[in-house]
């Protein structure tokens, strides 16, 4: 991997399918570890997105203009609320509801393409996340970034919208109220949330396992190299020891030869001295 920053890596990972996320995160952390340990740590801490968060991320990447409309409608709703402009609030509320339903349909299409179940709980979490983007500019920025790891909760926007609509003067007969959304199955949502959390923890545990295995592999490789160096040094030491023994034998033999030669030389000098002494006596 070429030298890239955290944002580029995060964008790449959250664009992948959920099944690809964890192995790709492990690989990117491994690639970054040698040159930037802090970056590798941040990459390892990226959480695998829940189903709802993944669907929102994919819709954000495929339909950025419609995602941008969430923030725009939210800003206009807040302005209308400040002015207590009831008619405008009602119009914008309908636009908001239509936009969220359309984006929820987009998420359902993504789920169908990917073979991911789009359960009632997942749909509710997706719609809550889009609602949060309408009610909170910071949430809108998170949704637009396409890097959510979990669904977002909307703020209490419905409360202030309802209050504004009630306080506005009624110029016309109010339209028939929209049908109430079906009641949430709190227990089912709790179980789904617990399941998503358990999956996220399992993903984190798998990532930690992969990182530990990677560290083990690296240490094992270093240990093998060290053992190879020790074996090489031992072989060299054995060769040197054999060479030393051979040289010492040669040294002993050379000393014996030198001693014998010295004795021979001494004997030859003694004989020369005797012969010289004998010659001098005969001359006399």
């Amino acid at each position: 991997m070429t030298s890239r920053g955290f944002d580029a890596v995060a964008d790449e990972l959250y664009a992948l399918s959920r099944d690809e996320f964890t192995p790709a995160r492990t690989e990117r952390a491994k690639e970054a570890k040698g040159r930037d340990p802090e970056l590798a740590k941040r990459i390892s801490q990226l959480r695998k997105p829940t189903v709802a968060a993944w669907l929102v991320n994919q819709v954000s990447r495929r339909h950025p203009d419609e995602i941008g409309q969430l923030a725009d409608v939210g800003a206009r709703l807040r302005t209308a609320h400040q002015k207590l402009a009831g008619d405008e609030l009602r119009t914008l509320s309908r636009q908001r509801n239509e936009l969220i339903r359309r984006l929820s349909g987009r998420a359902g299409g993504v789920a169908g393409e990917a073979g991911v179940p789009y359960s009632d709980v997942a749909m509710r979490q997706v719609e809550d996340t889009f609602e949060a983007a309408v009610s909170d500019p910071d949430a809108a920025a998170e949704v637009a970034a396409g890097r959510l790891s979990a669904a977002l909760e909307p703020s209490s926007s419905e409360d202030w919208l309802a209050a504004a609509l009630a306080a506005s003067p009624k110029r016309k007969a109010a339209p028939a109220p929209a049908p109430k959304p079906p009641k949430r199955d709190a227990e089912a949502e709790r179980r789904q949330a617990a399941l998503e959390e358990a999956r996220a923890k399992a993903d984190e545990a798998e990532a930690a396992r992969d990182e530990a295995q990677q560290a083990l592999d690296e240490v094992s490789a270093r240990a093998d190299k060290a053992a190879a160096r020790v074996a090489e040094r031992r072989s060299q030491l054995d060769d040197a020891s054999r060479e030393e023994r051979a040289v010492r034998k040669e040294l002993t033999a050379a000393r014996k030869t030198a001693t014998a030669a010295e004795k021979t030389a001494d004997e030859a000098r003694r004989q020369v001295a005797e012969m010289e002494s004998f010659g001098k006596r005969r001359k006399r």
Side-chain angles (χ1 to χ4, degrees):
M1 180 180 70
T2 57
S3 179
R4 294 187 296 168
F6 175 78
D7 288 337
V9 175
D11 280 337
E12 175 196 2
L13 294 178
Y14 283 106
L16 299 173
S17 69
R18 294 183 73 248
D19 290 340
E20 295 173 316
F21 183 91
T22 300
R25 177 184 60 191
T26 301
E27 183 65 21
R28 294 296 173 265
K30 179 180 178 181
E31 291 169 348
K33 189 172 183 179
R35 59 183 172 81
D36 191 340
E38 183 60 30
L39 173 60
K41 181 179 179 181
R42 291 182 67 193
I43 293 173
S44 297
Q45 290 173 342
L46 289 172
R47 296 187 62 179
K48 180 177 178 180
T50 63
V51 170
W54 182 78
L55 290 172
V56 171
N57 289 341
Q58 304 315 304
V59 172
S60 297
R61 293 169 186 276
R62 298 185 187 191
H63 306 282
D65 292 341
E66 292 183 33
I67 293 297
Q69 292 175 29
L70 292 170
D72 178 62
V73 170
R76 291 162 61 193
L77 276 168
R78 284 186 287 276
T79 300
H81 165 248
Q82 292 172 353
K83 296 178 180 178
L84 293 179
D87 290 342
E88 185 177 0
L89 279 171
R90 279 185 283 273
T91 299
L92 290 171
S93 294
R94 284 194 296 272
Q95 291 179 8
R96 176 202 61 183
N97 294 338
E98 291 170 0
L99 178 58
I100 290 176
R101 281 197 298 270
R102 184 163 67 252
L103 290 171
S104 178
R106 303 279 196 203
V110 173
E113 291 175 12
V116 175
Y118 195 38
S119 65
D120 290 342
V121 173
M123 181 174 67
R124 175 65 66 182
Q125 291 175 341
V126 166
E127 293 177 354
D128 280 351
T129 299
F130 289 138
E131 178 63 51
V134 173
S135 62
D136 182 0
D138 290 337
E142 289 186 59
V143 170
R147 293 192 211 161
L148 295 176
S149 60
L152 302 179
E153 289 288 337
S155 66
S156 56
S157 58
E158 292 293 339
D159 295 340
W160 58 260
L161 283 176
L165 289 169
S168 62
K170 295 185 179 179
R171 299 174 185 173
K172 301 178 182 179
K180 293 183 179 180
K183 283 189 175 182
R184 297 189 184 189
D185 186 339
E187 179 60 23
E189 291 190 8
R190 186 192 66 76
R191 289 196 300 269
Q192 182 66 26
L195 175 60
E196 295 289 355
E197 183 178 359
R199 286 173 175 166
K201 288 181 179 179
D203 290 337
E204 291 174 0
E206 289 177 2
R209 178 202 63 195
D210 292 343
E211 186 175 351
Q213 184 61 49
Q214 176 187 336
L216 173 61
D217 292 342
E218 291 175 356
V219 173
S220 296
R222 292 202 305 270
D224 291 342
K225 289 180 180 178
R229 288 197 299 271
V230 169
E232 183 181 359
R233 297 294 188 274
R234 284 176 177 166
S235 177
Q236 292 173 349
L237 178 60
D238 291 342
D239 292 343
S241 297
R242 285 191 294 270
E243 183 178 358
E244 180 193 18
R245 288 194 295 271
V247 170
R248 288 191 178 278
K249 288 180 180 179
E250 291 179 11
L251 177 60
T252 300
R255 283 174 176 168
K256 290 180 179 179
T257 300
T259 300
E262 182 68 25
K263 289 181 178 179
T264 301
D266 289 345
E267 180 61 24
R269 284 193 295 270
R270 186 184 63 76
Q271 291 177 0
V272 169
E274 288 180 353
M275 292 175 65
E276 288 177 345
S277 176
F278 179 76
K280 288 179 182 179
R281 287 198 299 271
R282 288 190 63 181
K283 287 180 180 181
R284 292 177 184 170

